[in-house]
Amino acid sequence: MEDQDLDIDSVSEKKSQQEKKQSKIIFQSPSGMHDILPDDFLIFEKLRSIMFEEAYSFGFLPIETTILEQTALFEKGVGQGTDIVEKEMYSLTTKGGDKLTLRPEATAGIMRAYFEHGFVNLPQPVKLFLMGSMFRHEKSQAGRYRSFHQFNLEILNSASPASDFEILQLVYNIFYKRLGLKDIIFEVSSVGDKNCRPDYEKNLKSFLKNKKSQLCQNCKKRISKNPMRVFDCKEEKCARVASLAPKIIDYLCKACFKHFKNFLEFLDDCQIPYNLNPTLVRGLDYYTKTVFEVKIAENTKNFENLPKLSICGGGRYDELGNIIGNKRIPSVGCAVGIERLIDVLKNRNFQASKFYKPKVFFAQLGFLAKKKSFKLFQEFLRNKIPSAIAIDKDSLKSQLKLADKLKVSYTIILGQKEVLEGTVIVRDMTFGYQEIISEKKIIDYIKNKLKKAKNSL
């Protein structure tokens, strides 16, 4: 019996130690994930407003797809040989045995929704936009997180190079005209299609095999599965090899060449500046023909000498419909990285509209005044007068200090005496004088004061 008691005491002591240890744990966001804090959220909301407005003006409609999709959607749609599918997806198996994945990108899900919801029966092409969270288990670095947001623009069921141009024109309007990013660079190229790419890849593989000893381990593996990904490698020795490798531009079939030529003519006619980059590839298997990226320096100093940050990328994906819905739906789209764009804008002192800005603050002293102040506060809100209150504070000094921090125009002060007499004290926070006003007249009084102040600006 005594031995049992000792064992119980020992277990209890260990449990207590574990609880103490657990209580000291400071929880943090998971590695690579991040919170959007108030200052960044202001820019986030401003971007959402601008992007939605521009998308609507071009006839795009909003869509939100499920964050969890069947894993096979990305394995087939994005490509088994891509880094996203091989290394970066957050996947799970449900209790029912379903294999699901947090979306690493939006295009495959949008194409799935196109088929599932009968969009093929709508007037074509179908133009959609989406802003939402994506998830990739990749190495975290500045502007790149494992949980991030993208703004997608997609034109589905259009084979015309005019649609490629429309996507770029819309992106140009957002970045250049609305956000004032005058130093953006459009890099464009073509990756051909199933008619001309096989011959090119055969020649590229032959070239890379002869240079295999000069490549990194990842690129050596890519030679047989996805040789064009060598152009996207950041290793200096691989970049040297890639610069000498044959380029897809020289292997385009007549149809792909004509498509790309017409696309460039649209850009030239509308004076959208671009650089032709024959080494440009995208990290997803579904791209065909036109591909592009929008790049910008990370800050405004020494722009020419700085490495350029990709803030948007996209292209045409004519075969994705075949893969997902067994029907060819030639399409084009792009995705803007919101976190990267926010970092760029912050470096340029981008001004987003401020939070709700109260004009009036209610300060109170005593329980009766608290109740009366809160009723008046709600009446002010109903009359669309931006107001604030600190109902939890008792000290008049601390409330006036808060009113000063909020930079309100007027503070309305109530104590027990004012409640009983049906009056309020109005303090002008700019000039410091006070007036006693009837409670019944206070709303009209403040409205007139705010109106005069606005008219004097």
Side-chain angles (χ1 to χ4, degrees):
M1 202 56 189
E2 290 177 359
D3 289 342
Q4 288 180 351
D5 289 342
L6 285 171
D7 288 341
I8 291 171
D9 289 342
S10 177
V11 170
S12 177
E13 185 178 346
K14 286 181 180 178
K15 186 177 180 181
S16 176
Q17 289 174 352
Q18 288 175 349
E19 288 175 348
K20 285 181 180 178
K21 189 176 181 181
Q22 288 175 350
S23 68
K24 293 179 181 178
I25 294 174
I26 299 175
F27 289 101
Q28 295 180 326
S29 58
S31 177
M33 309 288 183
H34 71 294
D35 303 310
I36 302 178
L37 302 180
D39 285 344
D40 283 359
F41 200 84
L42 284 175
I43 303 177
F44 186 94
E45 286 297 293
K46 184 68 174 179
L47 288 177
R48 188 204 301 267
S49 174
I50 289 172
M51 289 171 171
F52 280 30
E53 186 178 320
E54 289 295 319
Y56 279 126
S57 72
F58 273 64
F60 286 72
L61 298 175
I63 188 172
E64 175 60 278
T65 60
T66 59
I67 290 179
L68 277 170
E69 295 273 8
Q70 293 180 48
T71 300
L73 176 73
F74 301 114
E75 289 176 342
K76 292 182 178 180
V78 175
Q80 287 278 9
T82 61
D83 286 348
I84 289 176
V85 172
E86 286 188 343
K87 306 173 185 177
E88 299 172 0
M89 295 202 309
Y90 284 92
S91 299
L92 58 94
T93 302
T94 68
K95 292 179 180 179
D98 295 327
K99 294 183 177 181
L100 304 176
T101 294
L102 287 169
R103 63 186 182 194
E105 61 94 49
T107 304
I110 291 174
M111 182 63 80
R112 186 265 308 154
Y114 177 90
F115 285 108
E116 182 177 347
H117 301 292
F119 283 18
V120 71
N121 298 315
L122 298 177
Q124 304 295 305
V126 175
K127 300 196 288 187
L128 301 170
F129 70 88
L130 176 153
M131 180 178 278
S133 298
M134 311 294 155
F135 304 86
R136 294 184 192 176
H137 191 278
E138 57 184 343
K139 185 178 179 181
S140 301
Q141 52 187 286
R144 176 175 289 180
Y145 303 96
R146 292 175 176 175
S147 171
F148 57 98
H149 296 82
Q150 282 185 350
F151 175 68
N152 277 68
L153 294 163
E154 314 288 348
I155 301 178
L156 297 101
N157 211 2
S158 170
S160 171
S163 293
D164 305 20
F165 163 72
E166 184 177 3
I167 290 284
L168 249 72
Q169 178 69 70
L170 180 44
V171 169
Y172 180 79
N173 286 0
I174 291 171
F175 288 153
Y176 190 87
K177 295 182 178 179
R178 297 296 300 274
L179 298 178
L181 299 176
K182 308 298 184 183
D183 50 355
I184 54 173
I185 296 173
F186 284 83
E187 294 194 347
V188 300
S189 188
S190 174
V191 292
D193 64 10
K194 62 183 180 180
N195 296 313
C196 50
R197 197 184 298 173
D199 184 44
Y200 167 68
E201 288 189 344
K202 181 181 177 181
N203 284 276
L204 179 60
K205 285 179 183 179
S206 177
F207 172 85
L208 294 176
K209 283 177 181 177
N210 291 329
K211 304 287 184 180
K212 193 171 183 178
S213 62
Q214 302 174 39
L215 299 174
C216 70
Q217 290 302 315
N218 282 336
C219 286
K220 287 176 182 178
K221 295 176 184 177
R222 288 167 175 161
I223 291 176
S224 59
K225 291 192 298 182
N226 200 343
M228 291 178 69
R229 295 289 292 142
V230 172
F231 292 109
D232 205 29
C233 184
K234 301 300 185 288
E235 294 273 353
E236 187 177 338
K237 59 182 180 180
C238 297
R240 286 197 297 268
V241 172
S243 67
L244 301 173
K247 307 300 187 293
I248 182 65
I249 291 289
D250 299 322
Y251 289 78
L252 296 180
C253 61
K254 287 184 179 180
C256 287
F257 180 82
K258 182 180 179 182
H259 185 101
F260 190 53
K261 179 175 177 289
N262 290 342
F263 165 66
L264 295 181
E265 287 178 358
F266 275 115
L267 296 180
D268 290 334
D269 287 347
C270 290
Q271 297 183 322
I272 294 180
Y274 64 88
N275 289 338
L276 185 61
N277 180 1
T279 66
L280 179 63
V281 293
R282 304 288 300 146
L284 310 174
D285 280 358
Y286 55 59
Y287 282 111
T288 56
K289 296 181 180 174
T290 309
V291 290
F292 68 88
E293 284 189 2
V294 184
K295 294 187 176 183
I296 192 166
E298 294 189 55
N299 61 54
T300 54
K301 295 179 181 178
N302 300 319
F303 173 75
E304 294 299 328
N305 300 321
L306 281 171
K308 307 303 184 290
L309 189 71
S310 178
I311 54 175
C312 174
R316 178 161 285 280
Y317 47 97
D318 290 347
E319 303 303 326
L320 184 59
N322 264 332
I323 296 169
I324 293 175
N326 297 315
K327 184 175 181 180
R328 192 171 187 272
I329 306 292
S331 305
V332 61
C334 73
V336 178
I338 300 300
E339 277 76 7
R340 283 190 174 187
L341 183 54
I342 287 175
D343 285 347
V344 167
L345 292 172
K346 285 167 68 176
N347 283 333
R348 285 159 170 71
N349 298 315
F350 179 77
Q351 296 298 313
S353 56
K354 293 296 181 184
F355 288 117
Y356 174 81
K357 179 72 172 65
K359 299 291 185 182
V360 177
F361 185 86
F362 285 86
Q364 34 68 35
L365 192 60
F367 185 67
L368 286 177
K370 275 184 189 289
K371 293 193 293 182
K372 177 60 72 175
S373 289
F374 200 73
K375 285 184 178 179
L376 281 174
F377 166 67
Q378 292 184 86
E379 285 185 34
F380 269 56
L381 295 183
R382 279 194 291 270
N383 280 271
K384 302 188 183 308
I385 302 173
S387 305
I389 191 170
I391 199 71
D392 59 310
K393 296 186 182 298
D394 296 320
S395 164
L396 183 60
K397 182 178 180 181
S398 66
Q399 291 176 74
L400 293 175
K401 191 175 180 181
L402 178 56
D404 194 50
K405 280 186 177 180
L406 290 173
K407 297 182 179 179
V408 296
S409 301
Y410 301 96
T411 296
I412 296 175
I413 305 170
L414 284 93
Q416 186 169 328
K417 178 185 176 185
E418 285 73 34
V419 173
L420 295 175
E421 292 179 352
T423 60
V424 299
I425 298 171
V426 180
R427 174 177 291 187
D428 187 307
M429 299 299 287
T430 304
F431 300 104
Y433 66 81
Q434 296 184 171
E435 290 184 79
I436 297 175
I437 305 296
S438 167
E439 178 191 319
K440 294 179 180 179
K441 297 179 179 179
I442 185 60
I443 288 177
D444 289 336
Y445 175 86
I446 293 295
K447 278 185 175 180
N448 288 332
K449 286 281 188 179
L450 295 176
K451 187 177 180 180
K452 287 179 181 178
K454 185 177 181 180
N455 290 337
S456 66
L457 294 177

